[in-house]
Each structure stands twice: as C-alpha cells, then as structure tokens.
Amino acid sequence: MRQSDVYAVASKDVVFETFDGEAVVLDLSTGKYFGFSDSGSRIWQALSSGVAAQAIVGQSAGGTTIGVAELEGFLSQLLEFKLIVPLPDTPAQPLSGELLAALAQTGEPIKVEVHDDLADLIVVDPIHEVDEPLGWPAVKQKS
C-alpha cells in the first residue's frame, strides 16, 4: 500500500447506505450485497469519501489498532468484489475527527460478509422482464 492510495466506488452499479452505523453495499450488476462489521463500515465510509488508505493505518478500531496487513486484506476483498477502484494521483481527503471517533468506538474486527441469496431478484429488470398478468418479480420465461 502506498501512502497516497485513494479509492473510489467502482461504478454507478455499486450503491450503499448506512443503517445505524452499519454499511450495506449492493452491486446491482451481480445482485450481491455486502455487509461489513462496524469497523469495516467506518473504513468503507472513509475510503468511499476519498480518505487515503494509509491514513487509516494505526487508528484504533474494534478494540485494537488497524495494521497494514489487516487493512490490505480488507482492501483486497473490496477490489476482488469490484466495489472500489484505485484513483492514482488523486489528492486525499482528510480523515475527519467525527469518523476517527466513530472508528475508535467500534467493537468488532474488520470483516466483510457476502450475500447472494437475493441476487436473482435484484438483477431482474422490473420494466422489461415482467410477465404482465403475474406482475413483478415473475420473470418472463425465455422461449
């Protein structure tokens, strides 16, 4: 990891929302959704807002200090799932005091959970792939 590593959300198909401090990320192209531990949620929030990955190393989270290896493991998962992309030569945003405090208050180690149980429904195009009499989400059968 280089000190200037800045990342962005990979595409417009990757959408996310935070509920009670927990980030849920949905990849509309695959139908997979991702849940993060509380510390992972805060790191996602930082990365998706342009904070350099290196700024997160050494911060308190989940009752411990975030190490390089731990953060690189998290980043590699996000890259593997195509949720983020690196933005070379992009100036980093500062890590806010509010986000630092929220990160320090987390109680779980960094973790990513992948869910694909609703993938078939998520990738259905409700306008073009609907059987009119049955309604959504009854997918039209291919002839």
Side-chain angles (χ1 to χ4, degrees):
M1 171 176 17
R2 295 184 331 255
Q3 187 169 10
S4 61
D5 284 345
V6 174
Y7 296 87
V9 176
S11 76
K12 62 180 176 58
D13 286 335
V14 176
V15 295
F16 59 96
E17 187 68 46
T18 302
F19 304 96
D20 295 325
E22 305 270 332
V24 176
V25 178
L26 173 63
D27 183 346
L28 296 170
S29 66
T30 65
K32 292 181 181 176
Y33 62 99
F34 304 84
F36 303 133
S37 60
D38 58 355
S39 57
S41 294
R42 298 306 187 283
I43 294 170
W44 168 265
Q45 185 180 359
L47 293 172
S48 65
S49 64
V51 172
Q54 189 61 38
I56 299 167
V57 172
Q59 303 300 327
S60 294
T64 187
T65 301
I66 299 171
V68 172
E70 185 179 22
L71 185 59
E72 283 180 344
F74 185 67
L75 288 169
S76 95
Q77 286 182 299
L78 298 179
L79 290 164
E80 177 186 340
F81 296 130
K82 297 180 174 134
L83 300 178
I84 60 170
V85 293
L87 293 177
D89 304 320
T90 301
Q93 298 299 314
L95 188 56
S96 72
E98 182 180 318
L99 191 51
L100 264 176
L103 191 56
Q105 293 175 0
T106 61
E108 303 168 328
I110 301 169
K111 187 170 121 184
V112 178
E113 293 179 350
V114 183
H115 305 278
D116 63 0
D117 50 323
L118 298 175
D120 291 341
L121 292 176
I122 293 170
V123 297
V124 167
D125 179 349
I127 295 173
H128 301 100
E129 296 184 29
V130 174
D131 186 336
E132 291 294 326
L134 297 176
W136 191 83
V139 179
K140 288 182 184 176
Q141 300 301 316
K142 296 195 182 343
S143 308

